Amino acid sequence: MKRMSAKRVLVGLTAVTLGAAALVVAPGDVRVGGSADAAAADIPTPEEFFGFEMGTTGKLASFDDVKDYFQLVATESDSVEYDVAGTTTMGNDYPILRVSSPENLQRLDEILEINQRLADPRSGLSESQARTLAAESVPVYYLEATLHSSEVGNLPALIDVIHRLSTERSETVQNVLDNLVILVVPSANPDGQHLMVDYFNETAGSDYNRVYPDLYHKYVGHDNNRDWIFFTQAESRIRTELEQKYRPVILHFMHQAGANNPRMWLPPFDEPLGPNVDSIVISAANALGAEIANAAAEESLPGVSTDDAYGIFWNADVFGTGPHRGASLFLHEIASVRDLALPFSNDDGTPPGATDRTMRTFDPYTDQEWTLEQIVEYAKLSMYTGLQSVAKDADDWLFNHLYRVNQRNMEPDDGPEAYIVPADQRDPYAVKQLVEIFDIADVEVDRALSTVRVGRDTYPAGSYVIWSQQPMGSWVDQVLEIDEYPDQARKCADCPLIMPYSETTDNLGMLLGLDVHPADGVRVARTERVTADDVTAPAPDVAPPGGAYLVSPTTYGLAHVITALQDDDVPVLRATAGFDVDGDEYAPGTVVVPAGEAAHDVLAEVSELTALPVTAVDTAPAVDALELEPSTTIGLIRGANNMPGGWLMWLADTYGLNYEVVEADDYADLSKFDTILIAPGVTRKRIVEGLDPAKYPERFHWARGVGEQGWQALADWVTDGGNLVAVGTAAETARDLLDLPLANATPTKREAFNAPGTLLNAQFDPSSPATWGMPASWPVWYYNSPAYEVTDDTATVASSYPTDGELLASGYAHGEDALHGLANIVTVEVGDGVATVAGADITFRSWPRVTWTVVTNAVFNGPATAVAADDVAARLAGG
Ligand SMILES: [Zn+2]
């Protein structure tokens, strides 16, 4: 597979694609002029260290060994530093490497300081000063081998690259080290690297399937690169911190795609292009893609494609905050092999991937087989060409990406001058979380100390003002403006609209349940800069014996309140109707807690965490109530390798639910659960058939099928008095299980109807227990979800799509009018039990937090006991 020629090795530095050619060398082959690193002799080749050449079919190095190798290299080489950037979700190290010349590494602090200055649009630097500074510094090249843990081929390539950069002192390598600081992230998901590769190695020689059958991250699996607007996971926050500290000019993310995708896909990226991404960020990535494709052509590496895929610059959750800081986001996607590391070929003998010669695929792949060795070879070509290209124009990259892009972030644009989050939001916890997200993303948030005036409108002191002309201003626009999918996302004027690559909106205000007002001509005399710590509620007063504490249900932080009280064995009641105390009105679903020391302490703590106000009242409200089941026990049917189930585990852990995953053995006796929650994506087939126990080791037997008998046991558990909650596509599973009086009326033909990850207007009944605390109308997250016609009156509709008017609130949809008047959230009494279904994907990646309120209501209300108004006072007094 070594395709280079002797001639190419000797080509001078000026040849554009020299790196691609010259750098394909055998491990340990120190050559091409210059003297090797003094310590190079002590650095083993990957083959010597791991016992096999990188890219050997069927051989994957464990991540522990990879870390050991990198640490050894760092010890022996003065061009490589090993560091740990943080701790992962499962408690593993998140290692990084810094690779550069010894001189650059010694003055790294100075380099990073200059780069921060260049990137600071308030530094006051003129263009010529910025040019001068850029010449004194070195850009950071962010090189990430693995995020998706099943995409295992790029890391062995990176190991070869690190070996080469640490041992060879050719002019070519020296040029890279002198002109770049390479920030190497061997894996953005070390947990998954352990899970996936260790499992692959454990099952070698067995009859088991070789691919790890569950999520390769504790919670989010493959969604781990869809967390760039909420930053829920430790790994997402670590990457964001790295981007902030190192200010890379390029983020080179290595991925793999399906085995019949192009051998290697490279930018140019596809439509659509969002309005808030700077053109330099895009054009540089596109140019580099073309350069690597050219290198591949020169090296006779066939099957490379560009364009026509990965229209990722629409939703910030895909492309993250990096581009808003000036970093070009660069992806390569290399075709995968079979079972992670075994050769792939099509059954019919046709070559994998596109076979037509086109401008996008100028050299189709013609071999029948595709191997891990080839993945490694293509990945190295991409890395070497990228590194050399940026090294060659290092000063320009620094000036344009750090200085120019960030300067432009401060210029007025088409968007509003500011976004106002008025004081007195229905959910103070959502305000705190918005500010927390903005803290993570480096967004500045001001709080008004005096009245805010916008034209004739006024907002009281205490309102929040987020200016769009600030260093992260383009990201602020991205996540706060209403998204209108661009009609120009077409190949030609008459061509069909290109459908979204991913979700179609990232509107944080709607997702969190916040009222956000775009505003121009904002006048405010005094403001203070705040962080999430400054968003607080007053500490609760102490209620006298016989009195109570009240918490409004208009918050998705409700689960925090309930679970904290249950953890301390404090009784929790919820008013089933509205009531007033001393002239203040309380909504149905208000949490009513008997006075007492424990209650006060718990609520004071929760209030500090959530910024939710707690009201102490002297006498019990005379209102009918539900008393929640102490320590409500929740079973989660999540499905193996089912991301929505993983996200539900994250939500359940984050909000302290007392839950466990329902395992196959549990179906023999489900009575230990008060509530069972079925995750989106869990179908009847998944429950009945599950994982084949013959194909997976004992530890995955929890996910095996439970057969028709288990299916029936689940139905019986509900009719015997259980409380079933099903979300998204699982609503269909529940309908099937219990023969619910619902007919799914969502159109199925995509030409007529498509709403893929969209916010649609919906109405909620705040007097219905499932939707207590919800606004009467608010957008709901919708992903071509089930929507229902109710076929008899045993069903209570708690939420539906309005019968007329515009349904699209933010994002893309066509044909959505077909949903007018259909039901979304429905509660049905089934025998002695109850089922609540939400057709819309209201827990999607945890984003639509506003509707987490609905799940909270449903899981706790079902098993609760009714308490008549007359008895509430006695319950509060401890009766
Ligand atoms: Zn990937």
Side-chain angles (χ1 to χ4, degrees):
M1 273 304 159
K2 305 297 180 290
R3 291 169 194 267
M4 57 140 195
S5 64
K7 171 177 148 274
R8 298 302 305 262
V9 175
L10 299 173
V11 166
L13 280 171
T14 47
V16 173
T17 58
L18 161 120
L23 295 179
V24 183
V25 295
D29 193 354
V30 179
R31 62 166 100 176
V32 200
S35 58
D37 189 311
D42 297 324
I43 300 176
T45 64
E47 187 179 6
E48 286 162 355
F49 186 86
F50 295 101
F52 53 89
E53 237 183 291
M54 294 297 93
T56 302
T57 281
K59 296 284 189 184
L60 296 175
S62 79
F63 201 59
D64 281 335
D65 289 349
V66 173
K67 283 189 288 187
D68 287 348
Y69 182 66
F70 285 150
Q71 279 176 288
L72 175 64
V73 172
T75 307
E76 298 297 336
S77 167
D78 50 8
S79 297
V80 178
E81 293 177 351
Y82 181 95
D83 204 349
V84 174
T87 303
T88 67
T89 303
M90 292 171 74
N92 287 305
D93 282 353
Y94 187 113
I96 56 169
L97 303 175
R98 290 177 290 266
V99 182
S100 191
S101 70
E103 296 73 31
N104 286 337
L105 290 177
Q106 271 157 25
R107 65 174 196 112
L108 184 65
D109 288 348
E110 185 196 336
I111 287 170
L112 297 184
E113 208 180 297
I114 294 175
N115 294 356
Q116 290 288 359
R117 254 189 97 193
L118 278 169
D120 176 4
R122 299 194 184 100
S123 62
L125 292 172
S126 67
E127 282 207 15
S128 68
Q129 286 170 323
R131 283 271 180 207
T132 306
L133 269 186
E136 289 169 14
S137 191
V138 176
V140 174
Y141 191 113
Y142 195 108
L143 188 59
E144 179 183 286
T146 304
L147 173 95
H148 293 141
S149 309
S150 52
E151 300 165 12
V152 295
N154 290 299
L155 181 53
L158 176 71
I159 292 168
D160 277 351
V161 169
I162 297 301
H163 174 257
R164 173 131 199 256
L165 295 178
S166 62
T167 53
E168 182 183 309
R169 287 301 168 264
S170 62
E171 254 185 295
T172 313
V173 167
Q174 200 61 53
N175 196 38
V176 167
L177 297 180
D178 287 345
N179 290 295
L180 297 178
V181 172
I182 311 166
L183 182 68
V184 176
V185 177
S187 173
N189 177 23
D191 295 349
Q193 212 57 34
H194 287 288
L195 293 169
M196 186 65 67
V197 176
D198 292 352
Y199 179 83
F200 179 81
N201 289 332
E202 275 162 37
T203 52
S206 75
D207 291 336
Y208 293 133
N209 277 9
R210 301 296 304 279
V211 181
Y212 185 72
D214 202 2
L215 297 172
Y216 53 63
H217 177 276
K218 182 177 178 187
Y219 296 120
V220 304
H222 201 79
D223 272 349
N224 61 351
N225 67 335
R226 291 293 193 279
D227 194 29
W228 312 116
I229 52 173
F230 275 88
F231 313 103
T232 60
Q233 305 300 312
E235 296 78 9
S236 312
R237 294 191 292 271
I238 292 170
R239 191 205 264 172
T240 304
E241 283 163 16
L242 290 172
E243 288 175 3
Q244 287 159 347
K245 177 178 175 187
Y246 288 93
R247 303 303 303 227
V249 296
I250 179 169
L251 299 160
H252 186 154
F253 296 147
M254 296 187 254
H255 284 261
Q256 286 175 231
N260 272 304
N261 277 44
R263 298 308 84 197
M264 177 159 66
W265 176 89
L266 295 162
F269 290 99
D270 203 356
E271 306 287 351
L273 175 57
N276 302 304
V277 184
D278 193 279
S279 53
I280 290 175
V281 162
I282 298 293
S283 62
N286 288 349
L288 184 59
E291 198 172 335
I292 298 173
N294 180 40
E298 295 190 351
E299 290 311 302
S300 303
L301 293 183
V304 170
S305 281
T306 59
D307 201 352
D308 226 18
Y310 302 102
I312 63 168
F313 287 95
W314 175 248
N315 183 340
D317 210 67
V318 193
F319 66 78
T321 56
H324 293 275
R325 301 176 201 280
S328 269
L329 194 162
F330 184 83
L331 288 185
H332 75 227
E333 294 269 356
I334 303 179
S336 294
V337 289
R338 178 170 63 84
D339 288 350
L340 307 186
L342 306 178
F344 174 83
S345 51
N346 283 315
D347 291 342
D348 63 4
T350 55
T355 50
D356 291 337
R357 185 164 189 258
T358 64
M359 285 304 284
R360 291 184 296 278
T361 310
F362 37 75
D363 185 13
Y365 188 74
T366 52
D367 289 356
Q368 286 185 18
E369 197 175 70
W370 178 246
T371 66
L372 183 64
E373 183 188 17
Q374 289 172 295
I375 296 177
V376 168
E377 186 178 18
Y378 279 63
K380 284 199 276 192
L381 175 102
S382 173
M383 281 187 264
Y384 286 135
T385 311
L387 290 170
Q388 287 201 290
S389 179
V390 178
K392 175 165 56 71
D393 292 322
D395 295 356
D396 279 347
W397 277 80
L398 270 176
F399 174 79
N400 286 308
H401 289 253
L402 294 195
Y403 179 74
R404 185 158 272 167
V405 173
N406 285 290
Q407 287 287 326
R408 295 207 284 226
N409 266 347
M410 300 295 280
E411 291 166 9
D413 57 20
D414 296 343
E417 180 186 25
Y419 297 85
I420 298 186
V421 180
D424 301 325
Q425 295 278 330
R426 51 177 285 285
D427 186 357
Y429 175 55
V431 176
K432 191 175 177 77
Q433 292 230 289
L434 180 75
V435 181
E436 267 170 16
I437 289 167
F438 282 174
D439 288 348
I440 293 169
D442 269 350
V443 171
E444 298 162 351
V445 179
D446 288 342
R447 185 163 57 194
L449 295 167
S450 57
T451 302
V452 183
R453 294 177 198 287
V454 181
R456 286 186 187 167
D457 297 331
T458 60
Y459 300 94
S463 298
Y464 295 82
V465 183
I466 301 117
W467 303 97
S468 73
Q469 286 168 44
Q470 61 165 299
M472 285 299 285
S474 63
W475 191 77
V476 169
D477 283 331
Q478 178 72 38
V479 298
L480 289 184
E481 71 193 0
I482 291 173
D483 297 302
E484 290 178 51
Y485 197 73
D487 189 54
Q488 61 272 27
R490 301 169 190 274
K491 293 289 180 198
C492 67
D494 298 327
C495 295
L497 191 66
I498 293 171
M499 288 294 103
Y501 168 76
S502 179
E503 287 61 58
T504 73
T505 180
D506 48 18
N507 187 293
L508 273 178
M510 290 182 191
L511 292 166
L512 291 169
L514 285 171
D515 192 19
V516 178
H517 295 199
D520 283 305
V522 177
R523 286 169 298 144
V524 54
R526 288 182 303 129
T527 60
E528 56 178 347
R529 180 68 39 86
V530 293
T531 67
D533 288 344
D534 301 312
V535 182
T536 57
D541 293 335
V542 175
Y549 296 102
L550 307 177
V551 183
S552 166
T554 61
T555 173
Y556 67 86
L558 195 64
H560 272 315
V561 178
I562 294 171
T563 60
L565 290 164
Q566 289 200 335
D567 280 353
D568 265 34
D569 300 319
V570 178
V572 184
L573 286 81
R574 300 193 68 186
T576 57
F579 61 95
D580 66 81
V581 177
D582 302 334
D584 289 327
E585 290 197 10
Y586 291 87
T590 293
V591 173
V592 182
V593 183
E597 205 175 315
H600 180 268
D601 291 352
V602 170
L603 288 169
E605 221 171 278
V606 174
S607 176
E608 204 180 319
L609 174 77
T610 58
L612 292 173
V614 175
T615 307
V617 292
D618 293 348
T619 50
V623 62
D624 289 346
L626 286 181
E627 181 167 357
L628 304 191
E629 181 69 20
S631 303
T632 308
T633 308
I634 298 156
L636 172 65
I637 303 180
R638 73 169 176 94
N641 200 22
N642 179 40
M643 286 183 284
W647 281 107
L648 270 174
M649 283 197 290
W650 181 81
L651 281 161
D653 280 341
T654 299
Y655 289 91
L657 302 192
N658 174 26
Y659 83 103
E660 54 189 85
V661 171
V662 178
E663 304 192 353
D665 287 344
D666 293 329
Y667 285 76
D669 179 13
L670 293 164
S671 63
K672 65 174 166 175
F673 301 114
D674 298 315
T675 289
I676 289 178
L677 173 59
I678 312 182
V682 173
T683 57
R684 175 184 184 136
K685 185 168 188 282
R686 212 158 182 154
I687 292 173
V688 171
E689 296 179 18
L691 290 184
D692 179 353
K695 289 184 180 159
Y696 299 96
E698 175 67 29
R699 63 189 158 115
F700 298 105
H701 283 198
W702 67 270
R704 71 185 185 279
V706 297
E708 292 300 330
Q709 199 185 346
W711 176 255
Q712 189 55 47
L714 180 61
D716 292 345
W717 172 84
V718 182
T719 50
D720 289 350
N723 178 48
L724 189 78
V725 182
V727 175
T729 54
E732 286 292 277
T733 308
R735 185 172 69 99
D736 188 13
L737 178 77
L738 301 167
D739 197 20
L740 300 178
L742 304 170
N744 182 1
T746 304
T748 51
K749 291 226 161 50
R750 282 291 162 265
E751 313 85 74
F753 175 85
N754 196 14
T758 302
L759 284 159
L760 297 184
N761 289 315
Q763 52 199 28
F764 298 85
D765 176 3
S767 68
S768 192
T771 42
W772 281 343
M774 289 299 293
S777 52
W778 198 262
V780 70
W781 185 263
Y782 187 88
Y783 205 113
N784 293 329
S785 317
Y788 292 110
E789 277 163 7
V790 172
T791 55
D792 77 36
D793 57 10
T794 60
T796 306
V797 176
S799 174
S800 57
Y801 304 97
T803 50
D804 49 31
E806 176 68 76
L807 283 185
L808 183 60
S810 184
Y812 175 79
H814 71 249
E816 71 275 20
D817 285 352
L819 300 179
H820 276 307
L822 296 180
N824 176 26
I825 299 167
V826 180
T827 298
V828 188
E829 309 266 338
V830 188
D832 293 333
V834 62
T836 302
V837 301
D841 209 343
I842 63 171
T843 55
F844 184 82
R845 292 182 187 147
S846 85
W847 296 358
R849 289 293 165 86
V850 59
T851 41
W852 180 237
T853 312
V854 176
V855 178
T856 304
N857 286 333
V859 297
F860 287 105
N861 289 348
T865 310
V867 181
D870 292 348
D871 298 331
V872 166
R875 283 300 300 137
L876 295 187

